[in-house]
Amino acid sequence: QVQLVESGGGLVQAGGSLRLSCAASGRSINTYAMGWFRRAPGKEREFVASISWSGSTTYYVDSVKGRFTISRDNTKNTMYLQTNSLKPEDTAVYYCAAASTGYTSSTLTPRSKNEYDYWGQGIQVTVSS
């Protein structure tokens, strides 16, 4: 069993930055691929970014490429999402997720919500105009 808790969200003006953190407990995530998803009002939960268990490979949805950076520190059992140049359309609840099948490859970066079996409760990010 893995528990995930997000932090670092809040209100920021367009063009600003936030760093989201995802702290894992209950079990080490050293062999789990990790990812971030988000859900805006009236929309489905969508993929944002993922990182392999080794941290060697990352993947981003086109809309955040060049602005967001996903990283992890396995010694601290924590994953991060650095969000820069934020836009109003980035406003959403952001969810941290872990994939227990990530051990199958040191470069695997799952992109479907169905590939993740552990989820945080989500944290609000609001970007004002």
Side-chain angles (χ1 to χ4, degrees), residues 56-77:
S56 64
T57 308
T58 59
Y59 190 88
Y60 302 88
V61 68
D62 286 345
S63 61
V64 308
K65 287 181 179 177
R67 299 188 298 120
F68 291 9
T69 302
I70 188 171
S71 62
R72 66 191 299 163
D73 186 342
N74 285 345
T75 66
K76 297 180 179 179
N77 223 28

Side-chain angles (χ1 to χ4, degrees), residues 25-87:
S25 62
R27 187 173 181 176
S28 172
I29 59 169
N30 284 357
T31 60
Y32 288 57
M34 302 288 291
W36 289 95
F37 290 74
R38 65 186 181 185
R39 183 181 178 88
K43 296 184 178 181
E44 298 294 321
R45 187 177 301 190
E46 67 174 353
F47 169 80
V48 177
S50 59
I51 186 168
S52 62
W53 69 258
S54 68
S56 64
T57 308
T58 59
Y59 190 88
Y60 302 88
V61 68
D62 286 345
S63 61
V64 308
K65 287 181 179 177
R67 299 188 298 120
F68 291 9
T69 302
I70 188 171
S71 62
R72 66 191 299 163
D73 186 342
N74 285 345
T75 66
K76 297 180 179 179
N77 223 28
T78 303
M79 177 182 65
Y80 307 94
L81 184 69
Q82 178 68 45
T83 66
N84 298 327
S85 302
L86 285 164
K87 306 174 181 179

